[in-house]
């Protein structure tokens, strides 16, 4: 499925970020992510406001060249041909540089790979659902006689909501609902494959989402990004519950009791130590591992999650901290920064398309906004020293936890620097002779 970690570092074939370089033995899917551009719609998703800015500057350069050219030919003013030619060449290079990154996204980024080989460039979205499902079922059938780890990262419930004709119009909730129903059907097919091969009672299955619904995703007046219920905010917001609070569903018959509901907070970071635990291994001891195995909590041998504190980031910026007081059962959350909604009362960043993590796109809070999630899960009523007797005590303990947490972090180069974010032709995966990258196996 969707890898979303990229492929190359220094050359087109070094595959440094590829799944096969990070512990996996087999890969089929997208090395990047799914965007509206993959469908070729008129509503670009990738840095839309940035594209509009680049196109505005391109038009200004074109206008300047035409003005100088007309002035030169009509003898309205004197200007050297060298200046006009240099400006035209610079404008052309400027246009090519940004249009290669954004205008050709469908051809550069919307690709499917099997191991190191590109199978579709650009990918055929009409066949992607069936291809993903066939690959996953085939993997189960090939590995049924030995232990295996199958990680399926579905392209579904993500714009542009690729939905096959069979499921279009089936839901009362529009295209988004149709997409959810098709995803549910796909998960059912995978469970059927597990059951068919007699693996039901020996297979640990974990289903979850990596974030809440995307509030800004829309086409016209139709919202495409889901609904987060009572929880504030959505995808891409570092601290609000609507962006980070999702359910996890586990199935392991004859090992875990059915119908059990656990209200303790866990994290997707817990998957790694859980898988290591299941495989009989040991997590690395040479670094801080932020996750905890889920098995004791799921089996009921412990009553509380291993996470007393959780730290919620937006990009590289710490936006919020959660503290679950195990003795009292109270869950506190402090927001150090929150996104500036546009419009203000909308609860989302419709003006920007995605909420920024720093700068003028966020409000920094000193003192932080404090909420008691046990009583106020919607984060509607921030507490203060006047309304909460424990305010100072809670804020002091959370501050100490942040300092302890920061001591465990190792500085790394900025991965999302401007240089790392621009398109680099020498790193572009290509199944033909660059730049003629088209194939369909």
């Amino acid at each position: 499925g969707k890898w979303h970690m990229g492929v190359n570092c220094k050359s087109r074939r070094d595959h440094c970020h590829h799944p096969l370089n990070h512990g996996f033995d087999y890969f089929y899917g997208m090395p990047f992510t799914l965007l509206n551009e993959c469908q070729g719609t008129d509503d670009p998703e990738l840095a839309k406001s940035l594209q509009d800015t680049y196109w505005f500057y391109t038009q200004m350069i074109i206008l300047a060249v035409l003005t100088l050219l007309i002035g030169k030919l009509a003898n309205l003013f004197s200007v050297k041909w060298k200046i006009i030619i240099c400006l035209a060449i610079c404008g052309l290079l400027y246009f090519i540089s940004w249009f290669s990154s954004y205008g050709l996204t469908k051809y550069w980024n919307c690709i499917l790979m099997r191991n190191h080989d590109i199978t579709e460039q650009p990918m055929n979205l009409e066949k992607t659902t069936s291809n993903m499902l066939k690959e996953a079922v085939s993997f189960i059938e090939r590995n049924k006689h030995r232990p295996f780890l199958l990680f399926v990262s579905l392209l579904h419930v993500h714009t542009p909501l690729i939905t096959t004709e069979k499921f279009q119009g089936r839901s009362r909730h529009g295209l988004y609902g149709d997409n959810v129903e098709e995803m549910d059907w796909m998960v059912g097919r995978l469970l059927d494959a597990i059951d068919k091969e007699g693996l039901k009672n020996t297979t640990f299955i974990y289903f979850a989402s990596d974030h809440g619904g995307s509030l800004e995703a829309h086409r016209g007046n139709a919202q495409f990004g889901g609904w987060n219920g009572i929880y504030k905010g959505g995808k891409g917001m570092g601290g609000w519950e609507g962006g980070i609070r999702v359910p996890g569903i586990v199935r392991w018959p004859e090992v875990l009791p059915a119908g059990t509901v656990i209200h303790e907070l866990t994290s997707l970071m817990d998957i790694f130590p859980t898988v290591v635990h299941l495989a009989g291994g040991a997590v690395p001891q040479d670094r801080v591992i932020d996750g905890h195995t889920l098995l004791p909590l799921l089996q009921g041998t412990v009553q509380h999650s291993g996470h007393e504190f959780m730290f919620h980031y937006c990009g590289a910026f710490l936006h919020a901290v959660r503290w679950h007081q195990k003795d009292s059962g109270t869950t506190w959350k402090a927001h150090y920064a929150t996104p500036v909604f546009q419009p203000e009362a909308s609860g989302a960043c419709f003006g920007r398309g995605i909420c920024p993590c720093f700068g003028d796109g966020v409000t920094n809070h000193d003192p932080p906004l404090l909420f008691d999630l046990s009583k106020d899960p919607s984060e509607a009523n921030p507490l203060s020293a006047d309304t909460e007797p424990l305010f100072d005590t809670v804020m002091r303990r959370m501050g100490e936890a942040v300092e302890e947490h920061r001591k465990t972090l190792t500085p790394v180069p900025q991965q999302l620097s401007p240089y790392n974010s621009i398109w680099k032709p020498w790193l572009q995966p290509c199944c033909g002779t660059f730049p003629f990258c088209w194939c369909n196996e």
Side-chain angles (χ1 to χ4, degrees), residues 173-195:
H173 300 281
L175 184 59
Y176 185 89
D178 297 342
N179 203 246
V180 171
E181 291 203 12
E182 184 165 49
M183 177 187 67
D184 181 62
W185 170 78
M186 292 177 71
V187 173
R189 289 288 303 273
L190 293 175
L191 295 180
D192 290 344
I194 293 289
D195 296 352

PDB file of all heavy atoms in Angstrom, residues 173-195:
ATOM      1  N   HIS A 173     -23.772   8.852   2.745  1.00  0.00           N
ATOM      2  CA  HIS A 173     -22.839   9.913   3.105  1.00  0.00           C
ATOM      3  C   HIS A 173     -21.923  10.287   1.947  1.00  0.00           C
ATOM      4  O   HIS A 173     -20.760  10.609   2.142  1.00  0.00           O
ATOM      5  CB  HIS A 173     -22.023   9.489   4.328  1.00  0.00           C
ATOM      6  CG  HIS A 173     -22.866   9.204   5.525  1.00  0.00           C
ATOM      7  ND1 HIS A 173     -23.380  10.194   6.327  1.00  0.00           N
ATOM      8  CD2 HIS A 173     -23.316   8.036   6.036  1.00  0.00           C
ATOM      9  CE1 HIS A 173     -24.107   9.643   7.292  1.00  0.00           C
ATOM     10  NE2 HIS A 173     -24.079   8.340   7.142  1.00  0.00           N
ATOM     11  N   GLY A 174     -22.457  10.216   0.728  1.00  0.00           N
ATOM     12  CA  GLY A 174     -21.722  10.679  -0.432  1.00  0.00           C
ATOM     13  C   GLY A 174     -20.520   9.821  -0.774  1.00  0.00           C
ATOM     14  O   GLY A 174     -20.407   8.664  -0.354  1.00  0.00           O
ATOM     15  N   LEU A 175     -19.604  10.411  -1.538  1.00  0.00           N
ATOM     16  CA  LEU A 175     -18.442   9.672  -2.010  1.00  0.00           C
ATOM     17  C   LEU A 175     -17.563   9.208  -0.860  1.00  0.00           C
ATOM     18  O   LEU A 175     -16.978   8.124  -0.904  1.00  0.00           O
ATOM     19  CB  LEU A 175     -17.637  10.550  -2.978  1.00  0.00           C
ATOM     20  CG  LEU A 175     -16.430   9.883  -3.646  1.00  0.00           C
ATOM     21  CD1 LEU A 175     -16.862   8.659  -4.441  1.00  0.00           C
ATOM     22  CD2 LEU A 175     -15.704  10.873  -4.544  1.00  0.00           C
ATOM     23  N   TYR A 176     -17.470  10.024   0.196  1.00  0.00           N
ATOM     24  CA  TYR A 176     -16.657   9.619   1.348  1.00  0.00           C
ATOM     25  C   TYR A 176     -17.237   8.339   1.960  1.00  0.00           C
ATOM     26  O   TYR A 176     -16.498   7.390   2.276  1.00  0.00           O
ATOM     27  CB  TYR A 176     -16.604  10.734   2.389  1.00  0.00           C
ATOM     28  CG  TYR A 176     -15.683  10.434   3.546  1.00  0.00           C
ATOM     29  CD1 TYR A 176     -14.339  10.779   3.495  1.00  0.00           C
ATOM     30  CD2 TYR A 176     -16.143   9.785   4.698  1.00  0.00           C
ATOM     31  CE1 TYR A 176     -13.481  10.501   4.546  1.00  0.00           C
ATOM     32  CE2 TYR A 176     -15.298   9.494   5.750  1.00  0.00           C
ATOM     33  CZ  TYR A 176     -13.971   9.853   5.674  1.00  0.00           C
ATOM     34  OH  TYR A 176     -13.133   9.561   6.718  1.00  0.00           O
ATOM     35  N   GLY A 177     -18.543   8.301   2.140  1.00  0.00           N
ATOM     36  CA  GLY A 177     -19.179   7.104   2.684  1.00  0.00           C
ATOM     37  C   GLY A 177     -18.986   5.899   1.784  1.00  0.00           C
ATOM     38  O   GLY A 177     -18.760   4.781   2.264  1.00  0.00           O
ATOM     39  N   ASP A 178     -19.077   6.125   0.457  1.00  0.00           N
ATOM     40  CA  ASP A 178     -18.832   5.030  -0.490  1.00  0.00           C
ATOM     41  C   ASP A 178     -17.427   4.480  -0.310  1.00  0.00           C
ATOM     42  O   ASP A 178     -17.205   3.267  -0.328  1.00  0.00           O
ATOM     43  CB  ASP A 178     -18.988   5.534  -1.934  1.00  0.00           C
ATOM     44  CG  ASP A 178     -20.393   6.021  -2.243  1.00  0.00           C
ATOM     45  OD1 ASP A 178     -21.320   5.675  -1.487  1.00  0.00           O
ATOM     46  OD2 ASP A 178     -20.547   6.743  -3.246  1.00  0.00           O
ATOM     47  N   ASN A 179     -16.477   5.375  -0.142  1.00  0.00           N
ATOM     48  CA  ASN A 179     -15.084   4.987   0.002  1.00  0.00           C
ATOM     49  C   ASN A 179     -14.865   4.188   1.279  1.00  0.00           C
ATOM     50  O   ASN A 179     -14.122   3.204   1.291  1.00  0.00           O
ATOM     51  CB  ASN A 179     -14.212   6.248  -0.011  1.00  0.00           C
ATOM     52  CG  ASN A 179     -12.782   5.972  -0.418  1.00  0.00           C
ATOM     53  OD1 ASN A 179     -11.870   6.119   0.394  1.00  0.00           O
ATOM     54  ND2 ASN A 179     -12.570   5.570  -1.658  1.00  0.00           N
ATOM     55  N   VAL A 180     -15.516   4.608   2.372  1.00  0.00           N
ATOM     56  CA  VAL A 180     -15.425   3.871   3.639  1.00  0.00           C
ATOM     57  C   VAL A 180     -16.001   2.468   3.473  1.00  0.00           C
ATOM     58  O   VAL A 180     -15.424   1.478   3.955  1.00  0.00           O
ATOM     59  CB  VAL A 180     -16.155   4.629   4.768  1.00  0.00           C
ATOM     60  CG1 VAL A 180     -16.250   3.762   6.017  1.00  0.00           C
ATOM     61  CG2 VAL A 180     -15.442   5.939   5.091  1.00  0.00           C
ATOM     62  N   GLU A 181     -17.132   2.365   2.773  1.00  0.00           N
ATOM     63  CA  GLU A 181     -17.754   1.055   2.587  1.00  0.00           C
ATOM     64  C   GLU A 181     -16.860   0.125   1.763  1.00  0.00           C
ATOM     65  O   GLU A 181     -16.772  -1.074   2.028  1.00  0.00           O
ATOM     66  CB  GLU A 181     -19.124   1.212   1.930  1.00  0.00           C
ATOM     67  CG  GLU A 181     -20.152   1.876   2.839  1.00  0.00           C
ATOM     68  CD  GLU A 181     -21.581   1.547   2.464  1.00  0.00           C
ATOM     69  OE1 GLU A 181     -21.788   0.622   1.651  1.00  0.00           O
ATOM     70  OE2 GLU A 181     -22.487   2.202   2.994  1.00  0.00           O
ATOM     71  N   GLU A 182     -16.196   0.683   0.748  1.00  0.00           N
ATOM     72  CA  GLU A 182     -15.299  -0.158  -0.052  1.00  0.00           C
ATOM     73  C   GLU A 182     -14.098  -0.592   0.778  1.00  0.00           C
ATOM     74  O   GLU A 182     -13.633  -1.732   0.668  1.00  0.00           O
ATOM     75  CB  GLU A 182     -14.842   0.579  -1.305  1.00  0.00           C
ATOM     76  CG  GLU A 182     -13.997  -0.306  -2.211  1.00  0.00           C
ATOM     77  CD  GLU A 182     -13.828   0.251  -3.601  1.00  0.00           C
ATOM     78  OE1 GLU A 182     -13.477   1.448  -3.731  1.00  0.00           O
ATOM     79  OE2 GLU A 182     -14.033  -0.510  -4.574  1.00  0.00           O
ATOM     80  N   MET A 183     -13.576   0.314   1.606  1.00  0.00           N
ATOM     81  CA  MET A 183     -12.474  -0.052   2.487  1.00  0.00           C
ATOM     82  C   MET A 183     -12.903  -1.181   3.425  1.00  0.00           C
ATOM     83  O   MET A 183     -12.150  -2.147   3.642  1.00  0.00           O
ATOM     84  CB  MET A 183     -12.013   1.148   3.306  1.00  0.00           C
ATOM     85  CG  MET A 183     -10.913   0.829   4.297  1.00  0.00           C
ATOM     86  SD  MET A 183     -10.507   2.186   5.410  1.00  0.00           S
ATOM     87  CE  MET A 183     -12.022   2.291   6.372  1.00  0.00           C
ATOM     88  N   ASP A 184     -14.110  -1.081   3.969  1.00  0.00           N
ATOM     89  CA  ASP A 184     -14.634  -2.109   4.866  1.00  0.00           C
ATOM     90  C   ASP A 184     -14.716  -3.456   4.145  1.00  0.00           C
ATOM     91  O   ASP A 184     -14.362  -4.503   4.702  1.00  0.00           O
ATOM     92  CB  ASP A 184     -16.016  -1.677   5.366  1.00  0.00           C
ATOM     93  CG  ASP A 184     -16.617  -2.682   6.326  1.00  0.00           C
ATOM     94  OD1 ASP A 184     -16.026  -2.907   7.383  1.00  0.00           O
ATOM     95  OD2 ASP A 184     -17.683  -3.241   6.004  1.00  0.00           O
ATOM     96  N   TRP A 185     -15.153  -3.410   2.890  1.00  0.00           N
ATOM     97  CA  TRP A 185     -15.234  -4.632   2.082  1.00  0.00           C
ATOM     98  C   TRP A 185     -13.851  -5.232   1.856  1.00  0.00           C
ATOM     99  O   TRP A 185     -13.655  -6.451   1.947  1.00  0.00           O
ATOM    100  CB  TRP A 185     -15.898  -4.300   0.746  1.00  0.00           C
ATOM    101  CG  TRP A 185     -15.837  -5.400  -0.266  1.00  0.00           C
ATOM    102  CD1 TRP A 185     -16.604  -6.521  -0.325  1.00  0.00           C
ATOM    103  CD2 TRP A 185     -14.932  -5.469  -1.385  1.00  0.00           C
ATOM    104  NE1 TRP A 185     -16.246  -7.301  -1.402  1.00  0.00           N
ATOM    105  CE2 TRP A 185     -15.219  -6.677  -2.066  1.00  0.00           C
ATOM    106  CE3 TRP A 185     -13.925  -4.642  -1.858  1.00  0.00           C
ATOM    107  CZ2 TRP A 185     -14.523  -7.062  -3.213  1.00  0.00           C
ATOM    108  CZ3 TRP A 185     -13.232  -5.028  -2.996  1.00  0.00           C
ATOM    109  CH2 TRP A 185     -13.526  -6.222  -3.660  1.00  0.00           C
ATOM    110  N   MET A 186     -12.845  -4.364   1.593  1.00  0.00           N
ATOM    111  CA  MET A 186     -11.481  -4.848   1.382  1.00  0.00           C
ATOM    112  C   MET A 186     -10.932  -5.521   2.642  1.00  0.00           C
ATOM    113  O   MET A 186     -10.299  -6.586   2.568  1.00  0.00           O
ATOM    114  CB  MET A 186     -10.570  -3.691   0.970  1.00  0.00           C
ATOM    115  CG  MET A 186     -10.867  -3.115  -0.397  1.00  0.00           C
ATOM    116  SD  MET A 186      -9.810  -1.697  -0.771  1.00  0.00           S
ATOM    117  CE  MET A 186      -8.219  -2.500  -1.007  1.00  0.00           C
ATOM    118  N   VAL A 187     -11.167  -4.902   3.800  1.00  0.00           N
ATOM    119  CA  VAL A 187     -10.714  -5.507   5.054  1.00  0.00           C
ATOM    120  C   VAL A 187     -11.402  -6.851   5.260  1.00  0.00           C
ATOM    121  O   VAL A 187     -10.780  -7.827   5.693  1.00  0.00           O
ATOM    122  CB  VAL A 187     -10.987  -4.554   6.240  1.00  0.00           C
ATOM    123  CG1 VAL A 187     -10.674  -5.250   7.562  1.00  0.00           C
ATOM    124  CG2 VAL A 187     -10.150  -3.283   6.115  1.00  0.00           C
ATOM    125  N   GLY A 188     -12.682  -6.918   4.919  1.00  0.00           N
ATOM    126  CA  GLY A 188     -13.410  -8.180   5.017  1.00  0.00           C
ATOM    127  C   GLY A 188     -12.806  -9.269   4.145  1.00  0.00           C
ATOM    128  O   GLY A 188     -12.711 -10.440   4.552  1.00  0.00           O
ATOM    129  N   ARG A 189     -12.397  -8.887   2.934  1.00  0.00           N
ATOM    130  CA  ARG A 189     -11.766  -9.861   2.026  1.00  0.00           C
ATOM    131  C   ARG A 189     -10.450 -10.374   2.607  1.00  0.00           C
ATOM    132  O   ARG A 189     -10.120 -11.556   2.475  1.00  0.00           O
ATOM    133  CB  ARG A 189     -11.518  -9.217   0.656  1.00  0.00           C
ATOM    134  CG  ARG A 189     -12.779  -8.968  -0.163  1.00  0.00           C
ATOM    135  CD  ARG A 189     -13.359 -10.284  -0.689  1.00  0.00           C
ATOM    136  NE  ARG A 189     -12.380 -11.012  -1.477  1.00  0.00           N
ATOM    137  CZ  ARG A 189     -12.179 -10.837  -2.793  1.00  0.00           C
ATOM    138  NH1 ARG A 189     -12.894  -9.924  -3.444  1.00  0.00           N
ATOM    139  NH2 ARG A 189     -11.285 -11.554  -3.438  1.00  0.00           N
ATOM    140  N   LEU A 190      -9.685  -9.480   3.252  1.00  0.00           N
ATOM    141  CA  LEU A 190      -8.421  -9.902   3.863  1.00  0.00           C
ATOM    142  C   LEU A 190      -8.675 -10.853   5.040  1.00  0.00           C
ATOM    143  O   LEU A 190      -7.970 -11.854   5.212  1.00  0.00           O
ATOM    144  CB  LEU A 190      -7.627  -8.689   4.321  1.00  0.00           C
ATOM    145  CG  LEU A 190      -7.100  -7.772   3.215  1.00  0.00           C
ATOM    146  CD1 LEU A 190      -6.440  -6.537   3.810  1.00  0.00           C
ATOM    147  CD2 LEU A 190      -6.103  -8.524   2.330  1.00  0.00           C
ATOM    148  N   LEU A 191      -9.702 -10.537   5.844  1.00  0.00           N
ATOM    149  CA  LEU A 191     -10.053 -11.426   6.961  1.00  0.00           C
ATOM    150  C   LEU A 191     -10.527 -12.783   6.432  1.00  0.00           C
ATOM    151  O   LEU A 191     -10.214 -13.829   7.016  1.00  0.00           O
ATOM    152  CB  LEU A 191     -11.130 -10.779   7.824  1.00  0.00           C
ATOM    153  CG  LEU A 191     -10.734  -9.500   8.571  1.00  0.00           C
ATOM    154  CD1 LEU A 191     -11.917  -8.973   9.375  1.00  0.00           C
ATOM    155  CD2 LEU A 191      -9.543  -9.750   9.483  1.00  0.00           C
ATOM    156  N   ASP A 192     -11.282 -12.760   5.343  1.00  0.00           N
ATOM    157  CA  ASP A 192     -11.734 -14.020   4.733  1.00  0.00           C
ATOM    158  C   ASP A 192     -10.548 -14.867   4.284  1.00  0.00           C
ATOM    159  O   ASP A 192     -10.557 -16.103   4.417  1.00  0.00           O
ATOM    160  CB  ASP A 192     -12.645 -13.734   3.534  1.00  0.00           C
ATOM    161  CG  ASP A 192     -14.002 -13.172   3.940  1.00  0.00           C
ATOM    162  OD1 ASP A 192     -14.355 -13.289   5.127  1.00  0.00           O
ATOM    163  OD2 ASP A 192     -14.700 -12.612   3.070  1.00  0.00           O
ATOM    164  N   ALA A 193      -9.522 -14.210   3.737  1.00  0.00           N
ATOM    165  CA  ALA A 193      -8.337 -14.939   3.281  1.00  0.00           C
ATOM    166  C   ALA A 193      -7.613 -15.586   4.465  1.00  0.00           C
ATOM    167  O   ALA A 193      -7.145 -16.734   4.373  1.00  0.00           O
ATOM    168  CB  ALA A 193      -7.399 -13.994   2.533  1.00  0.00           C
ATOM    169  N   ILE A 194      -7.538 -14.842   5.575  1.00  0.00           N
ATOM    170  CA  ILE A 194      -6.921 -15.394   6.794  1.00  0.00           C
ATOM    171  C   ILE A 194      -7.705 -16.614   7.274  1.00  0.00           C
ATOM    172  O   ILE A 194      -7.138 -17.667   7.603  1.00  0.00           O
ATOM    173  CB  ILE A 194      -6.876 -14.316   7.901  1.00  0.00           C
ATOM    174  CG1 ILE A 194      -5.915 -13.182   7.538  1.00  0.00           C
ATOM    175  CG2 ILE A 194      -6.512 -14.934   9.251  1.00  0.00           C
ATOM    176  CD1 ILE A 194      -4.466 -13.542   7.585  1.00  0.00           C
ATOM    177  N   ASP A 195      -9.039 -16.477   7.299  1.00  0.00           N
ATOM    178  CA  ASP A 195      -9.889 -17.572   7.763  1.00  0.00           C
ATOM    179  C   ASP A 195      -9.802 -18.777   6.827  1.00  0.00           C
ATOM    180  O   ASP A 195      -9.749 -19.937   7.282  1.00  0.00           O
ATOM    181  CB  ASP A 195     -11.341 -17.103   7.867  1.00  0.00           C
ATOM    182  CG  ASP A 195     -11.523 -16.002   8.908  1.00  0.00           C
ATOM    183  OD1 ASP A 195     -10.551 -15.724   9.647  1.00  0.00           O
ATOM    184  OD2 ASP A 195     -12.612 -15.408   8.962  1.00  0.00           O
TER     185      ASP A 195
END
